[in-house]
Amino acid sequence: MEQTLARLLAHERVRAARHHIERTDEVTVGRQIALSAIPSPTGAEGPRGARVAELFREVGLSDVGVDQAGNVHGWFGGEGGRGTGDGSAPVVLAAHLDTVFGAEVNVRVERRGHRLEGPGISDNARGLAALVAVAEALVVGRVPLGRPVLFAATVGEEGSGDLRGVKHLLNGNHEVKPVAFIALDGAGLERVIHRALGSRRYHVTFRGPGGHSWAAFGVANPANAVGRAVALLADLPAHHAPRTTCAVVRLGGGTGLNSIPQEAWLDVDLRSEDPRALAQLDVTVRAALDRAADDENRHRTPGTPAVRVEPQLLGDRPCGITPRAHPLVQAAIAANRALGRDAELTSASTDANVPIALGIPAIALGAGGRAGDAHLATEWYENVEGALGIVRALLVTAAMAQPD
């Protein structure tokens, strides 16, 4: 892979593409600002997606469109964008459209010296701007590739979106069978995310008869059951290899200070890098929830209705790994080395989770620059070596699009 990267860096067309990225760095930042200022809550990505589709057409991608899920796609290379004959399986370069912020949040971007501040300015306006920049560089540089590249701006990556955009892209579109998948997510240059952090998220409701806090005292109390469940989950042993976690993240219920609630609830977030560990944790957590209900029912007044537990699965993000020795991971490491930067191999939950779980080699990369306060209204981005992050994405994409 080192030799492949060296050949790419020396190739006249790749050098032209790199030069274009560096020369149009401020244009890319301008697109980043403009895209960030278009509200794009999970489930309402349409306006931002429409603008990305316009940009895909402007920079010269072919067969630009929007699929049934709302993903925006465009193609570079091949006949009609899809390639022909042997070796036409594409490389997918993707970035997600949605943010964690609701429609009521002001997403206007402000400049403060060298810093850009605005909700979503890095996650993921930076990834989207880099996606467009790589596409434009390939077109302008007329870079010859052995495989087509599918550029995809996906919906539903954040939180409740449960990766629905990339799930549709890879499961619902039988024309897309990629040889490699690269997600551009946020800022940074060192991290190479090759381990998919999986999660299962439950909204758990305990229901009971309820009643007056004095007159009905002794009936099974859903609020007590929530408390018992939280205590049981908090006492679960920690697992460090592989790291596996269970966190109660929200709870609530009840209608008044003098009423035993008819229902109370908690939200719980299970995570692991290992699918077997995540599955085992799921079994353990569900058993703890059942035990909490049973414990509360044992304490109720005889003859009164029992409390029942109703877990609802809100999110299921698969986990897995693209091995360090795989050419895709090695391409990212070699690209970092060629650009004079170390590579930090790590894990996270990104669009790359889905292809990894499907057996498709996948990684996620930052798109250059520095950022902070992700998922907060104070999120910021500084364009320090921003172009270098986009050049890295170009090199990794081109390396994986070489003919076999």
Side-chain angles (χ1 to χ4, degrees):
M1 193 52 68
E2 298 278 357
Q3 294 178 345
T4 299
L5 263 293
R7 287 197 302 270
L8 286 172
L9 285 166
H11 195 287
E12 178 184 5
R13 296 298 184 187
V14 175
R15 288 166 56 192
R18 176 177 182 174
H19 176 68
H20 182 79
I21 289 171
E22 294 167 343
R23 183 170 56 82
T24 59
D25 189 33
E26 284 303 314
V27 174
T28 297
V29 173
R31 288 171 179 156
Q32 179 181 348
I33 293 170
L35 288 169
S36 188
I38 302 173
S40 194
T42 301
E45 301 96 336
R48 183 178 285 184
R51 179 55 186 147
V52 171
E54 290 176 353
L55 288 170
F56 278 0
R57 293 186 183 99
E58 289 173 10
V59 303
L61 293 184
S62 63
D63 196 21
V64 175
V66 180
D67 67 20
Q68 291 180 336
N71 300 314
V72 181
H73 59 74
W75 292 82
F76 173 82
E79 182 179 306
R82 286 180 170 78
T84 57
D86 295 337
S88 63
V91 174
V92 175
L93 188 65
H96 67 86
L97 288 161
D98 57 326
T99 73
V100 299
F101 304 100
E104 75 284 357
V105 175
N106 183 353
V107 290
R108 183 180 61 192
V109 180
E110 296 187 1
R111 283 187 180 269
R112 303 187 189 280
H114 295 296
R115 178 169 291 190
L116 300 174
E117 295 185 2
I121 184 61
S122 174
D123 184 13
N124 192 32
R126 181 60 188 175
L128 290 169
L131 186 70
V132 175
V134 173
E136 186 175 41
L138 289 173
V139 172
V140 170
R142 292 180 291 135
V143 178
L145 300 177
R147 299 180 181 274
V149 179
L150 171 61
F151 289 83
T154 61
V155 299
E157 190 273 347
E158 297 286 5
S160 60
D162 199 34
L163 305 178
R164 70 180 184 88
V166 70
K167 286 176 180 177
H168 178 83
L169 183 71
L170 299 179
N171 288 318
N173 186 346
H174 298 295
E175 293 181 344
V176 179
K177 299 294 183 183
V179 69
F181 184 103
I182 304 156
L184 299 178
D185 202 331
L189 187 56
E190 283 75 30
R191 293 208 308 165
V192 176
I193 298 166
H194 73 118
R195 303 193 305 275
L197 177 59
S199 66
R200 290 184 186 171
R201 291 158 178 170
Y202 285 97
H203 179 73
V204 183
T205 305
F206 290 89
R207 303 186 193 277
H212 193 280
S213 57
W214 171 262
F217 184 79
V219 302
N221 188 334
N224 288 352
V226 165
R228 296 179 191 278
V230 171
L232 289 170
L233 295 177
D235 285 341
L236 292 179
H239 293 275
H240 302 289
R243 188 178 181 215
T244 304
T245 64
C246 170
V248 174
V249 294
R250 292 193 304 178
L251 49 84
T255 58
L257 288 174
N258 60 349
S259 299
I260 295 171
Q262 290 183 301
E263 66 177 52
W265 56 269
L266 71 151
D267 289 344
V268 60
D269 182 17
L270 320 180
R271 295 188 182 232
S272 182
E273 295 176 1
D274 182 83
R276 288 171 296 182
L278 185 59
Q280 181 57 57
L281 177 63
D282 187 274
V283 171
T284 301
V285 166
R286 292 179 72 102
L289 298 174
D290 289 338
R291 179 182 167 187
D294 291 343
D295 287 349
E296 179 58 22
N297 286 328
R298 279 197 294 271
H299 287 80
R300 76 185 193 278
T301 299
T304 59
V307 73
R308 65 185 188 276
V309 59
E310 300 174 0
Q312 178 187 3
L313 183 65
L314 298 181
D316 187 0
R317 295 176 175 236
C319 48
I321 185 170
T322 301
R324 180 188 181 114
H326 190 277
L328 175 58
V329 180
Q330 288 299 307
I333 294 172
N336 269 52
R337 188 175 295 118
L339 297 174
R341 296 293 182 274
D342 292 331
E344 176 192 350
L345 299 183
T346 186
S347 67
S349 179
T350 69
D351 269 346
N353 283 41
V354 172
I356 288 175
L358 292 173
I360 299 167
I363 59 172
L365 302 172
R370 294 194 304 224
D373 288 357
H375 292 194
L376 298 177
T378 53
E379 187 172 347
W380 56 267
Y381 173 82
E382 292 179 353
N383 195 41
V384 178
E385 297 184 324
L388 213 56
I390 301 175
V391 170
R392 175 176 70 164
L394 169 73
L395 293 175
V396 177
T397 302
M400 298 313 297
Q402 298 303 300
D404 293 333

